[in-house]
Amino acid sequence: MTEKATATTRMNTGTKRPALDRTFSVAPMMDWTTRDYRAFARTLTRQALLYTEMVTTGAILHGSPRERFLGYDEVEHPIALQLGGSDPGELAECAAIAEEWGYDEVNLNVGCPSDRVQNNMIGACLMGHPEKVAAAVRAMREAVKIPVTVKCRIGIDDQDEDADLERFIAQVADAGCEVFIVHARKAWLQGLSPKENRDIPPLNYPRVHRLKASRPELHIGINGGIKTLDECREQLDCVDSVMVGREAYQNPWLLAGVDRAIYGVEGPAESRHAAARAFRPYIARRLEEGAKLNHVTRHLLGLFQGQPGGRRFRRHLSENGHLDGACLRVYDDALSLVPEREPAETA
């Protein structure tokens, strides 16, 4: 079996891929939107577009095995790979690799504010270099047939949120980018930690709404601070798509309402317990591959948030999932600590 086949046949091989629809997506989040989280998310929503963690061009081109950075299961479709980098040639090569591996979209990170990525000319600092982003997008689009998209901010540091954002969007759109997912908060590259930048400065949703109004031919998505499906629907009156980050991870049951509320179809999960049971075969396979139980189940700790027994569920997995030899019995015992109710409405 080839490396690519190994990477993409873990679950539901032969499953027909859903059409790519960005109306609702889960944001790329380092150490959170791993392949295990994404597979779990599919027990809750079939429709949402899922993003990988940001993967740097260096990791793909020089890391080994490549499956460590690109591996996923077929059930995760539709799935987008987010790339971090700025060299057009390297990004084009990585985009081509992503297409070969079967990703549905490749996205360029122009939003991460951390010092580590800044030093490598990755992330939000590229907002100050629209010509570099344009060159990268042009090279990537020439290398692949799948969509090439950009996730950016409304600006960085002392940039003018109107003039500089318009200039950035215009230049990158001229290079062929038709889809922008905009985090509605400036990134401060100096003086604030990435954690502080999650809340400072304040979100500016109207700026993203105005961008959509001024560039109706572009797909403009919005990201940042959105926590409920009602908020998502409100945003969709002004923009083309909504991307949810931390809330989709910390309160994953939110995703169980996405298919019905956003797409008008029934989702896969009748209850939290049903989702947990549906994920059980995947956990078993990962354990057979040598994964530790807690590395997989850490993504489920918020599943029973606010429910009777939810704390006991989290505590049992946290205290026992890391132990040598921890197996499905630990998972089953944790689930038994949460009273099972009749299926209730989602989200």
Side-chain angles (χ1 to χ4, degrees):
M1 184 177 289
T2 67
E3 180 185 31
K4 176 63 179 67
T6 301
T8 59
T9 56
R10 308 277 190 207
M11 292 180 66
N12 291 5
T13 52
T15 300
K16 185 178 180 180
R17 295 184 186 179
L20 185 61
D21 187 330
R22 301 182 183 85
T23 306
F24 181 98
S25 63
V26 178
M29 294 174 282
M30 293 301 294
D31 199 40
W32 283 8
T33 50
T34 66
R35 63 186 303 177
D36 294 330
Y37 169 79
R38 300 190 306 262
F40 169 57
R42 284 293 175 231
T43 70
L44 302 168
T45 171
R46 295 190 182 98
Q47 305 300 322
L49 174 59
L50 303 179
Y51 281 77
T52 68
E53 307 169 88
M54 181 187 72
V55 184
T56 66
T57 54
I60 294 174
L61 297 177
H62 308 298
S64 181
R66 192 164 276 171
E67 182 183 345
R68 175 185 170 193
F69 307 102
L70 296 177
Y72 64 90
D73 296 287
E74 283 296 316
V75 74
E76 296 175 41
H77 287 289
I79 180 173
L81 174 69
Q82 187 182 67
L83 289 175
S86 57
D87 180 270
E90 293 180 352
L91 284 165
E93 185 175 356
C94 289
I97 292 170
E99 184 174 52
E100 180 183 349
W101 277 62
Y103 281 92
D104 300 295
E105 173 190 307
V106 61
N107 175 267
L108 180 61
N109 184 319
V110 191
C112 182
S114 78
D115 292 340
R116 181 170 60 85
V117 298
Q118 286 183 57
N119 293 336
N120 292 296
M121 191 57 76
I122 297 172
C125 61
L126 288 171
M127 291 288 300
H129 303 277
E131 73 287 350
K132 289 183 177 294
V133 179
V137 164
R138 189 174 292 108
M140 294 163 73
R141 291 189 72 250
E142 290 175 354
V144 299
K145 296 180 180 178
I146 58 175
V148 174
T149 67
V150 167
K151 185 174 187 293
C152 63
R153 297 282 187 133
I154 57 174
I156 55 172
D157 299 332
D158 294 322
Q159 279 188 336
D160 183 283
E161 289 181 8
D162 289 313
D164 287 305
L165 179 60
E166 290 288 351
R167 186 179 303 111
F168 175 86
I169 295 295
Q171 198 159 347
V172 179
D174 285 347
C177 184
E178 299 176 348
V179 179
F180 295 85
I181 301 98
V182 186
H183 187 140
R185 190 193 311 274
K186 266 193 174 186
W188 286 94
L189 305 183
Q190 304 294 330
L192 287 179
S193 69
K195 182 178 181 180
E196 291 171 325
N197 201 193
R198 292 173 189 163
D199 301 303
I200 305 171
L203 288 158
N204 187 354
Y205 295 143
R207 181 64 193 92
V208 184
H209 300 166
R210 294 198 305 275
L211 174 63
K212 175 57 189 176
S214 68
R215 299 299 301 262
E217 77 282 8
L218 299 177
H219 178 110
I220 303 296
I222 197 165
N223 170 234
I226 300 167
K227 295 186 176 182
T228 70
L229 296 180
D230 284 341
E231 291 176 41
C232 291
R233 286 188 289 253
E234 291 173 4
Q235 291 290 345
L236 289 171
D237 289 336
C238 302
V239 294
D240 298 300
S241 61
V242 175
M243 176 181 279
V244 177
R246 282 174 289 163
E247 191 68 16
Y249 187 88
Q250 296 169 339
N251 178 26
W253 187 242
L254 171 80
L255 297 179
V258 165
D259 291 5
R260 182 189 303 165
I262 305 298
Y263 296 93
V265 297
E266 289 301 312
E270 293 183 348
S271 68
R272 298 171 200 253
H273 272 272
R277 285 192 293 269
F279 195 51
R280 197 176 184 277
Y282 177 86
I283 298 174
R285 282 191 285 273
R286 292 287 284 127
L287 293 176
E288 290 176 1
E289 293 169 1
K292 292 184 70 70
L293 181 67
N294 67 314
H295 289 171
V296 181
T297 59
R298 68 186 177 94
H299 303 293
L300 284 73
L301 294 181
L303 178 60
F304 295 99
Q305 182 183 122
Q307 303 297 301
R311 288 185 179 180
R312 288 183 294 170
F313 171 80
R314 291 194 301 272
R315 184 182 305 117
H316 191 82
L317 284 179
S318 298
E319 292 178 352
N320 298 281
H322 70 283
L323 300 176
D324 289 340
C327 60
L328 278 172
R329 177 63 182 271
V330 172
Y331 182 65
D332 293 338
D333 287 346
L335 283 176
S336 72
L337 298 173
V338 186
E340 186 162 6
R341 299 176 172 182
E342 292 297 314
E345 74 175 60
T346 55

